[in-house]
């Protein structure tokens, strides 16, 4: 997915931010504590509905704020938006509410991996499967249905 622009409100220490991206390579630079990781986290949250920082979905909302909002336009000119109040996530594409997370995943194809993502290598088998299932789903939308059928057979 190519992100044309990204805006967000109330994510961690960032109250409001707006970015326009090149359709080519983008490099995010800055000093420590300037919000580089917050940009990446916003993109990840928008495409996967959760933070890549395990167990930190609640703390992603800025202190003393009730909700966060992330909005982006992709290369297909789809406007993807997520609102999260700490409990309920409301996701829309072109102002149409989505009922299932998998509907969002079919519009985004972002995969995140970092040195901290040790579950992929050292973790339990189930964690590895979940990670690779999500990665495969990004390129093969039928994969989730195949997994459901497989688990039903077992």
């Amino acid at each position: 997915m190519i992100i044309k622009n990204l805006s967000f409100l109330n994510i961690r220490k960032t109250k409001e931010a707006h970015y326009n991206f090149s359709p080519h390579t983008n490099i995010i630079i800055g000093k420590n504590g300037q919000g580089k990781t917050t940009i990446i986290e916003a993109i990840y949250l928008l495409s996967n509905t959760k933070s890549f920082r395990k167990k930190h979905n609640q703390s992603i909302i800025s202190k003393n704020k009730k909700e966060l909002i992330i909005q982006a336009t992709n290369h297909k000119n789809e406007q993807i938006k997520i609102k999260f109040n700490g409990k309920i996530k409301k996701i829309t594409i072109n102002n149409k509410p989505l009922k299932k997370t998998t509907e969002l995943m079919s519009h985004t194809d972002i995969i995140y991996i970092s040195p901290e993502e040790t579950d992929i290598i050292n973790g339990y088998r189930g964690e590895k499967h979940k990670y690779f299932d999500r990665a495969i789903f990004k390129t093969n939308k039928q994969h989730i249905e195949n997994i459901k059928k497989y688990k039903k057979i077992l």
Side-chain angles (χ1 to χ4, degrees):
M1 175 174 80
I2 297 172
I3 297 173
K4 294 168 85 173
N5 58 58
L6 173 73
S7 300
F8 53 86
L9 299 170
N10 306 325
I11 297 182
R12 302 214 184 271
K13 294 179 183 177
T14 306
K15 291 180 182 176
E16 183 175 351
H18 306 279
Y19 301 97
N20 292 311
F21 296 105
S22 163
H24 305 288
T25 303
N26 291 275
I27 300 172
I28 301 168
I29 59 172
K31 294 180 180 179
N32 288 345
Q34 296 294 304
K36 300 177 301 293
T37 304
T38 301
I39 297 167
I40 302 300
E41 191 169 19
I43 293 168
Y44 187 86
L45 185 81
L46 187 71
S47 64
N48 291 284
T49 72
K50 60 184 175 181
S51 172
F52 57 73
R53 296 177 181 179
K54 297 190 187 285
K55 302 175 186 169
H56 291 281
N57 271 344
Q58 178 67 37
S59 65
I60 194 171
I61 301 171
S62 298
K63 284 185 180 180
N64 302 319
K65 299 295 179 181
K66 294 184 180 184
E67 74 175 0
L68 66 76
I69 300 171
I70 306 168
Q71 181 173 299
T73 304
N74 67 15
H75 64 289
K76 299 176 188 174
N77 286 322
E78 295 172 318
Q79 185 182 57
I80 303 168
K81 186 175 189 178
I82 186 167
K83 288 184 179 184
F84 178 53
N85 68 9
K87 295 178 184 175
I88 299 170
K89 294 173 189 164
K90 295 180 181 176
I91 307 161
T92 61
I93 295 182
N94 297 327
N95 296 315
K96 294 178 184 174
L98 300 184
K99 294 177 183 174
K100 297 180 182 180
T101 303
T102 53
E103 290 179 61
L104 173 65
M105 294 176 131
S106 68
H107 290 267
T108 62
D109 53 4
I110 293 173
I111 299 170
Y112 170 85
I113 189 166
S114 75
E116 293 85 19
E117 198 72 38
T118 57
D119 289 349
I120 301 165
I121 299 164
N122 302 327
Y124 295 105
R125 187 175 176 196
E127 290 299 315
K128 292 178 191 179
H129 282 257
K130 283 182 192 176
Y131 179 84
F132 286 105
D133 285 341
R134 279 192 299 263
I136 293 167
F137 177 73
K138 299 291 184 173
T139 59
N140 178 357
K141 306 306 180 203
Q142 185 62 36
H143 187 65
I144 296 292
E145 294 305 316
N146 293 342
I147 291 170
K148 287 178 184 177
K149 288 176 187 174
Y150 173 76
K151 287 182 179 183
K152 191 175 181 180
I153 292 169
L154 292 179

